[in-house]
Every structure is written in structure tokens, then in C-alpha cells.
Amino acid sequence: MLTRAAYENLEGQRRRVGAQGARLHALRTELDQFAVFVDRLERAAAALPECSPGLCAACARAGGECARKTLITALAERPKKARGR
């Protein structure tokens, strides 16, 4: 049999776990939305026109690296979702 204090302690813990679950769900939703955004960004970057064989003005300002290719590479190398749901 639980004492009143032990029961109240368990009730408090149950509420805290419930609140943590709600926060976790909200963060998971935000993470999923962000993943969708990054996927859209990756597709948009891939649709950008390619640079001419020489450096375009934007790439020349970026230190000689093609900004489009750098962006596409960074997006492609991002960690992918690995979820078990």
C-alpha cells in the first residue's frame, strides 16, 4: 500500500512524464516539418541553372567555387532521417 505522500509523488512524476511526451511530440513534428523544408530546398537548388564552363560572377565572388554545387553537395550530405516509426 502506498502512503499518501508516495502516491502524490507518483502523480507528480506521471504529470511530468506526460508533459515531456507532449514536448517530445511537438519537437518531432517540428523536426519533420524541417526535414520537408530541407528536401524542398534541395530540389530547388538542383533546379538552379548551372554555371557556364568558366566561373560566373557569383562563383568568382565566392572564391572560385560554384555556389550552386556547394549548396547541392551540402544538402545531399546532410544526415538523413533514420526513424523507426
Side-chain angles (χ1 to χ4, degrees), residues 2-38:
L2 290 175
T3 65
R4 182 169 180 87
Y7 180 79
E8 288 173 358
N9 185 26
L10 285 174
E11 279 294 305
Q13 289 179 12
R14 183 191 61 80
R15 284 190 298 275
R16 283 189 292 278
V17 167
Q20 284 179 334
R23 283 192 300 272
L24 181 60
H25 178 72
L27 287 171
R28 173 69 70 189
T29 300
E30 190 175 336
L31 181 61
D32 288 343
Q33 291 171 345
F34 185 72
V36 168
F37 168 75
V38 173

Side-chain angles (χ1 to χ4, degrees), residues 51-52 54-63:
C51 293
S52 59
L55 289 178
C56 68
C59 294
R61 285 192 303 272

Side-chain angles (χ1 to χ4, degrees), residues 61-75:
R61 285 192 303 272
E65 291 189 30
C66 177
R68 176 187 179 273
K69 288 179 186 173
T70 302
L71 178 60
I72 291 171
T73 300
L75 290 168

